[in-house]
Amino acid sequence: MSGLQGLAQENIWFDKSRYDEAERSFYEGMNGIPQTSQSQNASKSEDQSELVSRLKSLELDNKNLHKVVDDLRAVLSKLESRMAVLEKSQAPASKTVTVTKAAPVQKPKVEEHNDADDDDIDLFGSDEEDEEAERIKAERVKEYAQRKAKKPALIAKSSILLDVKPWDDETDMSKLEECVRSIQMDGLLWGASKLVPVGYGIKKLQISCVVEDDKVGTDILEEEITTFEDYVNISRFY
């Protein structure tokens, strides 16, 4: 029998951790200390594993945040470099504008001309330009006034319906209408007419007309119609 087989028959534990655990359980039982159950040990191990997983998750989030911050810093750096390039490119343009403003002053050239040339040169503007502008303005005002004058003015007109009654049924109604239409005035235009029965064989003349309010009034028109006393008894306007 070899040495290992002899050791296998000995009553010993080769697993040190299990031996320590058994010893601790033995002394706790001797001293009346309640032993922890396997479920409690399992819950503790679960809590530890959960804590470890949460720590790993926090570490991952921290890495992601660091990455986002690094990306933002890179973008900000690019923007700053672009702004610097733009400022450098705009700097010469401002200098050119400054030089252009100072360029028009050339007084020494004016002194080289004789007196006749000085009379032709006007450094501060000419009165002729002002006169030309005033002339153009006056022409435009005149053209506007002419166009406005050519537009037809708004004429107020009224449509009137007249009832002209004769004296009796023996009155010549055609002659009565002829008398009424013989009235001619500026702003008066006669229209259609018809005979409307009144009663007892009497018919009245109903005639329409259009008048310009500023030229023809109903009172003047009625006065002219009633002058035909042989035919007209009464006239009314509607």
Side-chain angles (χ1 to χ4, degrees):
M1 184 179 296
S2 62
L4 293 175
Q5 291 177 351
L7 291 174
Q9 295 178 358
E10 296 293 333
N11 190 14
I12 62 174
W13 289 342
F14 293 97
D15 192 349
K16 183 69 168 59
S17 61
R18 294 177 61 186
Y19 175 77
D20 294 337
E21 181 68 21
E23 185 178 5
R24 182 181 61 80
S25 299
F26 174 76
Y27 285 110
E28 286 180 354
M30 292 290 294
N31 296 323
I33 299 173
Q35 298 181 1
T36 56
S37 62
Q38 294 182 355
S39 60
Q40 290 179 349
N41 293 331
S43 63
K44 286 182 180 180
S45 62
E46 291 177 357
D47 292 340
Q48 290 178 355
S49 62
E50 183 179 358
L51 181 60
V52 171
S53 63
R54 291 183 63 183
L55 288 174
K56 291 182 178 179
S57 177
L58 290 174
E59 289 178 355
L60 182 60
D61 292 340
N62 191 17
K63 290 181 180 179
N64 293 331
L65 288 175
H66 280 296
K67 185 178 179 181
V68 171
V69 172
D70 292 338
D71 293 340
L72 290 176
R73 287 177 179 174
V75 172
L76 182 59
S77 178
K78 290 180 180 180
L79 289 176
E80 289 178 352
S81 61
R82 291 184 64 184
M83 289 295 295
V85 172
L86 290 175
E87 290 176 355
K88 289 180 180 179
S89 62
Q90 291 178 355
S94 61
K95 293 181 180 179
T96 304
V97 173
T98 305
V99 174
T100 304
K101 290 181 180 179
V105 180
Q106 296 179 355
K107 291 184 178 180
K109 292 183 179 180
V110 178
E111 296 176 357
E112 294 177 358
H113 295 283
N114 54 21
D115 296 337
D117 293 335
D118 292 340
D119 295 337
D120 296 335
I121 298 175
D122 189 1
L123 299 176
F124 302 100
S126 176
D127 295 337
E128 294 179 357
E129 296 180 358
D130 296 338
E131 293 177 358
E132 181 68 16
E134 291 294 334
R135 184 183 65 79
I136 294 173
K137 183 178 179 181
E139 289 179 356
R140 290 179 179 176
V141 172
K142 184 178 179 180
E143 290 176 359
Y144 174 76
Q146 290 177 355
R147 288 197 302 269
K148 189 174 181 180
K150 290 180 181 179
K151 291 183 179 179
L154 183 62
I155 300 174
K157 296 182 179 181
S158 299
S159 179
I160 301 175
L161 185 64
L162 292 83
D163 282 348
V164 184
K165 291 183 179 180
W167 286 103
D168 51 28
D169 57 347
E170 296 180 356
T171 302
D172 188 353
M173 298 303 295
S174 60
K175 185 65 177 178
L176 186 148
E177 182 177 355
E178 182 181 349
C179 293
V180 172
R181 290 184 180 274
S182 65
I183 301 173
Q184 298 295 326
M185 298 180 186
D186 184 19
L188 172 62
L189 179 64
W190 293 108
S193 63
K194 64 179 180 179
L195 297 177
V196 179
V198 178
Y200 303 101
I202 301 174
K203 296 181 179 180
K204 65 179 179 180
L205 173 67
Q206 194 173 74
I207 184 170
S208 62
C209 65
V210 177
V211 299
E212 296 182 11
D213 297 341
D214 295 338
K215 297 179 180 180
V216 180
T218 56
D219 51 349
I220 298 176
L221 192 58
E222 184 177 5
E223 184 179 351
E224 291 291 332
I225 292 174
T226 53
T227 55
F228 302 102
E229 298 178 353
D230 295 338
Y231 300 98
V232 178
N233 179 15
I234 190 173
S235 61
R236 291 181 179 177
F237 296 87
Y238 298 95

